[in-house]
Amino acid sequence: DTAVSQTPKYLVTQMGNDKSIKCEQNLGHDTMYWYKQDSKKFLKIMFSYNNKELIINETVPNRFSPKSPDKAHLNLHINSLELGDSAVYFCASSQVLEADEQYFGPGTRLTVT
Amino acid sequence: GQSLEQPSEVTAVEGAIVQINCTYQTSGFYGLSWYQQHDGGAPTFLSYNALDGLEETGRFSSFLSRSDSYGYLLLQELQMKDSASYFCAVANQAGTALIFGKGTTLSVSS
C-alpha cells in the first residue's frame, strides 16, 4: 500500500492551460502539504492544511488553488499555466501540524511548453 | 526568517565516512531534520534532533549544537546507494511547515 500517492506522475501541457494534481494519504495523518521543487532541487513549501483547514499559503500566485475535500486528500489546481510553473510538485503528510517527520508522495513532474 | 546553509556537493568513496554540515539562522527553533532524496525520487525522512548531541540510526548519525546553530549528518561505511541529495530542514517560526536547505549532493564512487 502506498502511503502518499499522487496523480498524475507526469504532466505535460501548454501555457495558458488549467491542470490539477491529486494527492491522497492513507496514513491517517491530520496535516498535508504541497511543495514545489525547481530544477536546482530547491524544495519550497507552498501550502499546508491541517484537518482540511488552510494553515499556510506561502507567497504563491493565486493561480494556484489547493483544495482539501477531506483529511486524506489534498488537490492542487493551477490556472493559466506559465513556463515558470515547470517543476516537480510534491505532496506530503505528517501526523500532526508541528511534526518534522513528513511523508512525501512520489511527485508530479509538470512541464509547461 | 529561516535560512539554512549546507555544502552543495560532497564526494567520497565506498566504505568511507562523510559529514554534511548545516548551519541555520532562525526566528524560533524547534529542531533540525534531515531528508534524503535519490534522483527522480521523493524526499524521505532520516532523522530529527531537538536537543544537543548525537543521534545514531544505523550507519547514519545526526548531531545538533543549538548554541552554535549548527548540525551535521554523518554517514558511515558509505555505499553506492547512499549517492543522493541530503537536505537539512527547520520548522518555520510558527512551527507549521518545514524550510529546507538547498541540499547537498553526495556522490559515492567505488
Side-chain angles (χ1 to χ4, degrees):
Chain A
D1 272 351
T2 304
V4 183
S5 59
Q6 292 179 229
T7 53
K9 188 164 174 64
Y10 299 96
L11 192 50
V12 181
T13 188
Q14 292 184 329
M15 284 175 57
N17 285 349
D18 303 338
K19 290 294 177 186
S20 292
I21 307 172
K22 295 188 175 183
C23 177
E24 177 180 359
Q25 55 97 0
N26 63 6
L27 297 167
H29 287 172
D30 285 345
T31 310
M32 297 184 72
Y33 312 84
W34 278 112
Y35 288 89
K36 178 180 180 181
Q37 187 169 46
D38 63 21
S39 57
K40 295 184 178 178
K41 296 188 178 179
F42 184 43
L43 196 59
K44 188 167 189 283
I45 182 73
M46 298 175 69
F47 303 101
S48 70
Y49 268 75
N50 189 54
N51 285 317
K52 303 195 301 174
E53 181 185 346
L54 179 65
I55 301 298
I56 285 185
N57 179 352
E58 289 293 308
T59 49
V60 175
N62 58 16
R63 298 181 295 103
F64 290 79
S65 53
K67 193 161 287 187
S68 182
D70 55 58
K71 274 176 33 172
H73 296 84
L74 180 62
N75 304 323
L76 183 65
H77 188 76
I78 317 170
N79 289 327
S80 305
L81 278 155
E82 301 178 357
L83 292 177
D85 298 332
S86 295
V88 180
Y89 292 84
F90 286 102
C91 176
S93 73
S94 63
Q95 193 163 16
V96 294
L97 182 58
E98 299 84 6
D100 287 82
E101 182 173 358
Q102 297 184 8
Y103 294 76
F104 282 75
T108 296
R109 182 173 293 276
L110 171 65
T111 304
V112 182
T113 61
Chain B
Q2 324 295 74
S3 68
L4 302 104
E5 291 289 332
Q6 51 182 128
S8 58
E9 291 183 7
V10 173
T11 58
V13 296
E14 273 189 303
I17 299 173
V18 74
Q19 179 173 311
I20 299 174
N21 299 320
C22 175
T23 57
Y24 56 86
Q25 287 186 319
T26 59
S27 305
F29 180 75
Y30 300 84
L32 186 69
S33 302
W34 289 94
Y35 282 75
Q36 178 191 59
Q37 184 180 26
H38 286 98
D39 270 351
T44 56
F45 174 80
L46 290 177
S47 68
Y48 173 68
N49 294 64
L51 303 175
D52 285 358
L54 190 68
E55 297 270 348
E56 297 181 60
T57 309
R59 294 187 298 113
F60 292 6
S61 303
S62 55
F63 172 82
L64 176 66
S65 169
R66 294 173 68 114
S67 60
D68 295 322
S69 298
Y70 163 75
Y72 65 73
L73 182 68
L74 189 74
L75 297 88
Q76 302 182 76
E77 301 172 19
L78 280 172
Q79 301 175 10
M80 298 288 284
K81 67 178 182 180
D82 298 328
S83 293
S85 294
Y86 293 84
F87 296 86
C88 57
V90 295
N92 63 359
Q93 191 171 2
T96 53
L98 287 180
I99 308 300
F100 286 82
K102 293 187 177 179
T104 299
T105 300
L106 171 63
S107 300
V108 180
S109 58
S110 55

